[in-house]
Amino acid sequence: MTYLRLLQHRAPDGSRSVILAEGDAAHILEGVTTVRELALRAIAAGETLAQAAKACPAGPAIDIAAEFAAGRLLAPIDHDDPAHLLMAGTGLTHLGSAEGRDKMHKAATSGEHLTDSMRIFLEGLEGGKPAPGEAGQQPEWFYKGDGSQLVGPTDPFTMPSFAQDGGEEPEVAGIYIIGEDGTPYRLGLAIANEFSDHVTERHNYLWLAHSKLRQASLGAELLIGQPPENIEGTSRILRDGKVIWEKPFLSGEANMSHTLANLENHHFKYDLFRRPGDVHVHFFGTATLSFSDGIATREGDVFEISASPFTLPVANPLARAEARPVAVKAL
């Protein structure tokens, strides 16, 4: 099956454009400069995003692989005001996803009792795929940051100076926009690296919220239309140009304990997440971590994640920010 993909491009002169890709062919869309602009146009016209894209005059053909290599492809969604792009996610949503987390958290409880992580996972297995019209089990949820924390498909991950770890999480993310009447619209899916601090999380699972306040990246392609049931990919870490760890990962509803609809319902049921015009990037979780295999990452390592039917990877090198002391002043 061939999927339509939308990409955002920045030319050397700084001008932006949207690309429509189908199979190996891709061309620039005339008359639109961002995916958000195109999505709002589709909502206003009562069209699908694919219909709105195909209604745009076709511009020049473009080689997306060459543009990716040149670093001219952006994250497939953004917002003029980064405060109006919200990143959040859900965990323990994939079959097998509890194993690594359970290992981390068992030190905090007796081996004779289920950890909280395992309880949430098992509850998701039992109630994460409800019948249509019914409310399913709510998942673990976390806040990731706003649009200032979203980096492009080849940009560095800059972990804070105080971070104890910088580790990859290969995932699929849902991309959404809120219509003027408060209706959430799913634009499509993107491959993602939901970058986290697993050493901080392992110390105490109540520090999960701290461990998630990190940057995240999206692959350049926004997969639009009906999402695939099965997504198969590969996550790997390169050090000095050599692969030091590599593992396959699975996503899509066929490999999850929750439906996308159930995860979406438990996010957008909150009124504050349905503010007209806002963009949401929601990470759906993973079951594959190099940290679970004992890998300790270093600055300069490159996280590379690829998955079919996406044709381009997301590849981010690891960096560390300089320490910046913060002093609070009383007024």
Side-chain angles (χ1 to χ4, degrees):
M1 181 177 179
T2 301
Y3 288 89
L4 290 175
R5 292 108 62 208
L6 291 173
L7 303 88
Q8 297 197 123
H9 178 266
R10 178 181 286 126
D13 65 2
S15 61
R16 289 185 52 166
S17 57
V18 176
I19 297 169
L20 177 64
E22 185 172 9
D24 296 328
H27 63 268
I28 290 175
L29 299 180
E30 299 286 1
V32 65
T33 57
T34 69
V35 167
R36 181 175 179 271
E37 177 189 350
L38 183 64
L40 291 174
R41 186 183 300 179
I43 293 170
E47 299 176 331
T48 66
L49 191 54
Q51 288 171 333
K54 289 185 174 181
C56 293
I62 191 166
D63 184 340
I64 61 173
E67 296 303 304
F68 175 84
R72 290 194 282 266
L73 297 181
L74 309 173
I77 192 67
D78 56 3
H79 196 291
D80 292 340
D81 181 354
H84 286 278
L85 188 155
L86 177 70
M87 297 197 298
T90 45
L92 300 168
T93 54
H94 283 62
L95 305 176
S97 61
E99 181 181 0
R101 186 83 69 85
D102 200 45
K103 287 179 182 177
M104 271 194 258
H105 299 170
K106 261 189 174 170
T109 188
S110 166
E112 298 176 359
H113 301 91
L114 292 177
T115 64
D116 287 342
S117 294
M118 187 59 75
R119 286 177 58 203
I120 287 180
F121 174 71
L122 293 175
E123 287 169 357
L125 277 179
E126 182 177 351
K129 293 187 173 182
E134 294 183 4
Q137 182 66 34
Q138 67 180 5
E140 175 195 51
W141 181 94
F142 58 84
Y143 174 67
K144 187 76 184 165
D146 65 14
S148 67
Q149 297 299 98
L150 179 61
V151 305
T154 58
D155 294 335
F157 277 137
T158 305
M159 58 182 172
S161 60
F162 53 79
Q164 299 185 56
D165 171 51
E168 86 299 333
E169 295 205 9
E171 305 195 13
V172 172
I175 312 300
Y176 305 86
I177 195 166
I178 310 301
E180 287 301 314
D181 63 351
T183 299
Y185 290 87
R186 187 200 306 141
L187 309 187
L189 304 180
I191 56 170
N193 190 338
E194 194 270 292
F195 182 65
S196 299
D197 185 338
H198 300 109
V199 172
T200 291
E201 179 189 350
R202 180 179 60 184
H203 176 79
N204 187 318
Y205 75 94
L206 294 177
W207 284 2
L208 173 73
H210 292 277
S211 75
K212 294 297 186 181
L213 290 176
R214 301 291 186 270
Q215 293 177 329
S217 65
L218 295 175
E221 298 163 287
L222 177 67
L223 201 71
I224 62 177
Q226 184 65 26
E229 287 280 319
N230 183 58
I231 295 173
E232 300 183 18
T234 301
S235 179
R236 63 180 188 166
I237 299 175
L238 293 86
R239 180 172 295 163
D240 299 323
K242 298 179 180 178
V243 176
I244 63 164
W245 178 86
E246 182 172 0
K247 205 164 191 177
F249 72 93
L250 299 171
S251 193
E253 283 191 1
N255 303 294
M256 296 172 67
S257 50
H258 290 259
T259 61
L260 298 189
N262 189 53
L263 300 180
E264 292 165 345
N265 172 63
H266 285 295
H267 179 71
F268 291 111
K269 68 185 180 183
Y270 295 100
D271 291 345
L272 77 162
F273 295 153
R274 299 195 306 275
R275 183 168 53 192
D278 279 7
V279 169
H280 289 248
V281 176
H282 196 83
F283 300 93
F284 290 131
T286 189
T288 305
L289 303 172
S290 65
F291 182 79
S292 296
D293 290 340
I295 299 297
T297 60
R298 303 177 187 170
E299 293 169 54
D301 288 354
V302 176
F303 304 106
E304 185 179 279
I305 297 167
S306 58
S308 178
F310 302 94
T311 66
L312 299 173
V314 55
N316 306 99
L318 179 62
R320 183 182 288 272
E322 294 183 6
R324 292 189 295 177
V326 177
V328 176
K329 296 182 179 180
L331 285 178

